[in-house]
Amino acid sequence: EDQVTQSPEALRLQEGESSSLNCSYTVSGLRGLFWYRQDPGKGPEFLFTLYSAGEEKEKERLKATLTKKESFLHITAPKPEDSATYLCAVLGSSNTGKLIFGQGTTLQVKP
Amino acid sequence: NAGVTQTPKFQVLKTGQSMTLQCAQDMNHEYMSWYRQDPGMGLRLIHYSVGAGITDQGEVPNGYNVSRSTTEDFPLRLLSAAPSQTSVYFCASPAPRDNSSGANVLTFGAGSRLTVL
């Protein structure tokens, strides 16, 4: 059964304090790993898709990396506006079109 | 702007009442889905559809009914609401980009917050 676990559940950082969020996954035939950002009261917003181990993608202060068992979302010199819940999801070859989500990591960046 | 539109944004029901959450997308994609989001549980798939007239169950389908008569609309029905269905519901459909990869880059609606008393 496909499974996604995110850690930590919550993370508090000072502005400028870099850190990483973890997404561990078990999936048969990874077709894609997705990162989303969700602000309070809103729907998830797409950030990145990673397809194969070793792949990296960047957007402003965020960089996502992928290995065969986990993905990291690195946040460099975060700002208060980066505060949000970050969701990881996987699409496997055995689940037709179904994204399996982790529980999310809630990030708070204090000025 | 292309996207997913959900109504209503908020709803309060009494146990046993029925209601329909509406979802419409203008991205002309065959795939649509409904998720529920509960604290500590992440997003869980309720039902999905791969095209008009075709629906299938997700991870937590019990207590919910769906139909897909058009490409644009995918309503979610609660036939007899229960307190356990108190949640935030999201409808999602793939965005136009990334279709060539075969992977779904889902675009989500703003959500419908449902409280069942």
Side-chain angles (χ1 to χ4, degrees), chain A residues 31 34 36 38 46 51 97, chain B residues 31 37 97-98 102 104 106:
Chain A
R31 292 179 59 198
F34 302 81
Y36 286 84
Q38 186 175 24
F46 171 72
Y51 297 105
Chain B
Y31 183 87
Q37 187 174 39
R97 61 177 182 272
D98 239 334
N104 291 356
L106 289 182

Side-chain angles (χ1 to χ4, degrees), chain A:
Chain A
E1 183 179 322
D2 297 350
Q3 199 166 5
V4 179
T5 303
Q6 291 186 247
S7 62
E9 284 189 22
L11 182 62
R12 281 187 178 182
L13 299 174
Q14 288 296 126
E15 185 172 1
E17 180 187 2
S18 301
S19 188
S20 297
L21 313 182
N22 178 264
C23 171
S24 297
Y25 65 91
T26 305
V27 66
S28 56
L30 180 70
R31 292 179 59 198
L33 184 142
F34 302 81
W35 282 98
Y36 286 84
R37 169 190 171 128
Q38 186 175 24
D39 293 303
K42 296 191 176 181
E45 183 180 321
F46 171 72
L47 290 173
F48 304 109
T49 310
L50 302 167
Y51 297 105
S52 57
E55 189 174 0
E56 298 183 352
K57 287 196 177 170
E58 285 188 67
K59 181 179 179 179
E60 296 179 358
R61 294 175 292 282
L62 301 177
K63 182 167 87 171
T65 62
L66 181 65
T67 73
K68 289 187 177 179
K69 293 184 178 181
E70 55 193 351
S71 176
F72 292 94
L73 185 65
H74 306 278
I75 303 176
T76 302
K79 298 182 178 182
E81 53 261 42
D82 294 321
S83 298
T85 295
Y86 291 87
L87 302 170
C88 172
V90 297
L91 179 66
S93 57
S94 62
N95 285 319
T96 310
K98 302 179 200 176
L99 279 187
I100 306 299
F101 281 84
Q103 316 93 301
T105 294
T106 299
L107 173 66
Q108 184 180 26
V109 182
K110 295 204 164 187

